Amino acid sequence: LKLSHPRLSKLPFRDVRAEIGESKTLATLNHQNVVRVYFAGDCQLVSKTQDKYVFSFFTMDYLEGIRDFDEYIIEHSNTLSATQIIRYFRDALSGLSYLHERGIIHCDIKPANMFIAPQTEALIGDLGYSKRPLQSIGRSAETDTHFTEEYAHPQLIEYVKERQREGGALATIPRKLLKSRFDLFAFG
């Protein structure tokens, strides 16, 4: 069970909930290189000052010994062959391609959002800030996009309106500009 836990003082109500966090969207994703989400929902918190916050949560597979992509490869660099490392990169790209085929842009591809567990293929995870720009009927022409600036496409950085701790950034960007190339740039 993963529950988002942003600092309440930093994020207003609308920024806490994941855009594609509805269970119908995430539960339909079924690919060997994407972390399996069985259910997604929201829980509401009312603070002592009566401020309301909504936090997205996800019920996912539990993977014993899971590590961030780069940490796993570095820790096992003495035992992994070049072929195995290339296979992990191919696995992650396969998961990313799967998301793109379904019209989902991850928006925060980085080594900490790609995972490897012993005896598994590499996985794409942390879909909480993903967007579906092609299905924007009834939605604003712009969307708030959260990402890690160090890995972000230059066009996305142009729209940054707030920088957060640990390299995180928030940009308000026209939906029509969100493209799979943002994820591919970050992956590269």
Side-chain angles (χ1 to χ4, degrees):
L1 179 65
K2 180 177 180 177
L3 174 69
S4 61
H5 53 84
R7 290 172 178 75
L8 295 179
S9 62
K10 290 289 245 178
L11 294 173
F13 175 83
R14 64 179 169 70
D15 288 338
V16 178
R17 98 188 298 151
E19 183 169 322
I20 69 161
E22 70 255 7
S23 58
K24 289 180 184 176
T25 300
L26 293 175
T28 63
L29 300 178
N30 187 10
H31 190 271
Q32 69 271 15
N33 301 115
V34 176
V35 172
R36 180 86 168 117
V37 176
Y38 295 98
F39 184 78
D42 298 313
C43 61
Q44 183 172 314
L45 170 74
V46 179
S47 70
K48 290 180 182 178
T49 61
Q50 299 303 308
D51 291 328
K52 293 181 182 178
Y53 298 91
V54 175
F55 296 90
S56 297
F57 68 89
F58 307 91
T59 305
M60 303 174 283
D61 279 331
Y62 175 75
L63 297 169
E64 186 81 35
I66 196 165
R67 298 296 309 225
D68 290 351
F69 193 85
D70 56 340
E71 291 174 358
Y72 185 91
I73 291 173
I74 291 168
E75 285 176 11
H76 297 88
S77 63
N78 293 334
T79 59
L80 290 174
S81 68
T83 301
Q84 289 171 307
I85 293 170
I86 290 168
R87 188 175 311 125
Y88 286 136
F89 277 92
R90 185 200 64 217
D91 293 345
L93 279 173
S94 178
L96 196 55
S97 175
Y98 173 82
L99 293 174
H100 292 167
E101 288 169 5
R102 275 141 192 82
I104 297 171
I105 309 300
H106 189 285
C107 295
D108 197 23
I109 289 293
K110 60 184 178 182
N113 289 338
M114 299 185 301
F115 309 106
I116 302 172
Q119 280 82 49
T120 67
E121 298 181 11
L123 300 163
I124 299 291
D126 207 353
L127 298 167
Y129 292 135
S130 298
K131 303 288 181 178
R132 295 187 79 159
L134 302 177
Q135 295 182 357
S136 59
I137 296 171
R139 295 185 181 163
S140 166
E142 292 186 329
T143 185
D144 283 343
T145 304
H146 298 262
F147 54 91
T148 304
E149 198 165 356
E150 178 181 354
Y151 298 98
H153 189 280
Q155 188 176 14
L156 190 54
I157 292 173
E158 291 174 20
Y159 289 88
V160 169
K161 70 176 186 180
E162 180 183 329
R163 286 182 167 82
Q164 301 161 344
R165 291 175 52 151
E166 300 173 14
L170 170 66
T172 300
I173 186 167
R175 284 184 182 279
K176 66 182 181 183
L177 293 184
L178 281 174
K179 303 288 184 200
S180 59
R181 69 174 177 252
F182 287 3
D183 288 345
L184 295 175
F185 181 90
F187 187 90

